Amino acid sequence: MRDIIAGLDKGLQVIEAFDQERSRLTISEVAQRTGLTRAAARRYLITLTHLGYAKHEDKLFSLTPKVLRLGHSYLHSARLPRIVQPLLYRLAYSLQEAASAGVLEDDQLVCVAAVSAGRVVSATLQPGTRVPAFCTANGRVLLAGLPQSQIEVYLARLEIEPVTIHTIVNKDRLSMEIARTRAQGYAVVDQEFELGLRTIAVPLRNFRGETVAAMNVSVHAGRMPVEDIVDRCLPALLKVQVELSSLL
């Protein structure tokens, strides 16, 4: 497209090359992760360093806290987190459990709002974190909200790897779980993404009935049996769901 600025696109790709597993990268590693030439990767890294978004020590580059400004710009300006956060706070403290909301992006669940309520059950329950959609409750709710044709395309391209010993890795079974989620209106995931983490989620729909996000409550497996999570958490989730439907 004529109006696309390729340099900005590639610069953002360089930023996205850094993650939790590889927080410090060489020029060659950035080039490999982004598909850029080594010379181009070097120029982008030097530019990001000049602007304060990156730093380097010896031959290793890493991002600086200034990159957080990009994420904060979304959190402070986007309508969804601002609407969801107050009700999420009330939900979490009424149950004394952690709660979060997320959206689907590139087959991943992206957390846009979270409240711990003093229960830190997972490091992933914070704004900005990205996790696989297929093995998380919020992710399955969002997948269930897609047209069936899109779900089939998603499952066809999905490369499933077991995250824990409980992760569903059979695509037929996963398809059944997504269908079950759509039919019952909520998803329960028991330690498929993280050992000790049990989660129940519901969709957040706008006034047109379209699923725009998902909201969950997360509990530690040692505190709440999976058999109890629906009875103890679903009513509060549904109450907030109804309130948000008139605001989204």
Side-chain angles (χ1 to χ4, degrees):
M1 294 178 61
R2 289 173 51 193
D3 294 332
I4 297 297
I5 301 175
L8 177 59
D9 177 24
K10 293 173 182 177
L12 292 173
Q13 287 182 41
V14 169
I15 291 176
E16 291 178 352
F18 296 86
D19 56 27
Q20 185 173 356
E21 285 72 33
R22 299 302 302 270
S23 61
R24 304 172 72 201
L25 297 170
T26 64
I27 294 173
S28 297
E29 288 170 333
V30 170
Q32 183 178 21
R33 285 191 158 209
T34 58
L36 296 170
T37 64
R38 190 182 184 283
R42 176 180 175 275
R43 288 196 301 272
Y44 282 107
L45 286 167
I46 290 174
T47 301
L48 289 170
T49 300
H50 173 72
L51 295 174
Y53 289 102
K55 62 181 180 179
H56 68 90
E57 184 177 350
D58 295 328
K59 295 183 179 181
L60 293 173
F61 286 81
S62 59
L63 299 180
T64 70
K66 189 175 181 179
V67 173
L68 291 173
R69 293 186 184 182
L70 303 177
H72 286 159
S73 294
Y74 167 76
L75 293 175
H76 293 157
S77 64
R79 186 168 176 268
L80 178 63
R82 287 187 287 111
I83 291 175
V84 170
Q85 189 71 32
L87 292 177
L88 203 64
Y89 184 91
R90 194 180 73 198
L91 171 68
Y93 277 90
S94 68
L95 295 172
Q96 288 299 298
E97 302 290 353
S100 68
V103 297
L104 195 63
E105 182 182 89
D106 298 332
D107 296 347
Q108 291 186 307
L109 171 69
V110 182
C111 180
V112 297
V115 179
S116 68
R119 302 283 196 182
V120 182
V121 292
S122 173
T124 63
L125 298 176
Q126 53 184 312
T129 54
R130 305 173 68 94
V131 297
F134 76 94
C135 59
T136 56
N138 270 350
R140 283 202 190 141
V141 162
L142 291 166
L143 291 170
L146 298 175
Q148 185 59 35
S149 59
Q150 290 187 31
I151 295 175
E152 291 172 0
V153 171
Y154 165 79
L155 290 173
R157 68 171 176 262
L158 180 64
E159 297 181 3
I160 301 182
E161 295 183 1
V163 184
T164 75
I165 59 173
H166 302 285
T167 306
I168 294 176
V169 295
N170 180 278
K171 289 190 177 183
D172 290 336
R173 186 181 168 197
L174 179 58
S175 178
M176 291 175 60
E177 286 299 320
I178 294 172
R180 187 203 308 273
T181 297
R182 182 191 294 118
Q184 66 188 13
Y186 65 89
V188 174
V189 169
D190 183 13
Q191 304 182 81
E192 290 188 49
F193 172 68
E194 187 174 323
L195 291 176
L197 182 66
R198 289 177 174 147
T199 310
I200 181 170
V202 298
L204 296 179
R205 301 185 178 94
N206 60 21
F207 67 94
R208 291 186 293 268
E210 301 165 335
T211 298
V212 296
M215 172 180 62
N216 70 21
V217 171
S218 298
V219 304
H220 194 279
R223 288 200 312 273
M224 189 180 299
V226 68
E227 297 81 8
D228 295 347
I229 196 170
V230 173
D231 290 340
R232 292 173 62 176
C233 300
L234 185 59
L237 276 165
L238 293 177
K239 183 178 179 181
V240 174
Q241 179 193 53
V242 171
E243 291 186 59
L244 285 170
S245 65
S246 62
L247 301 174
L248 296 175

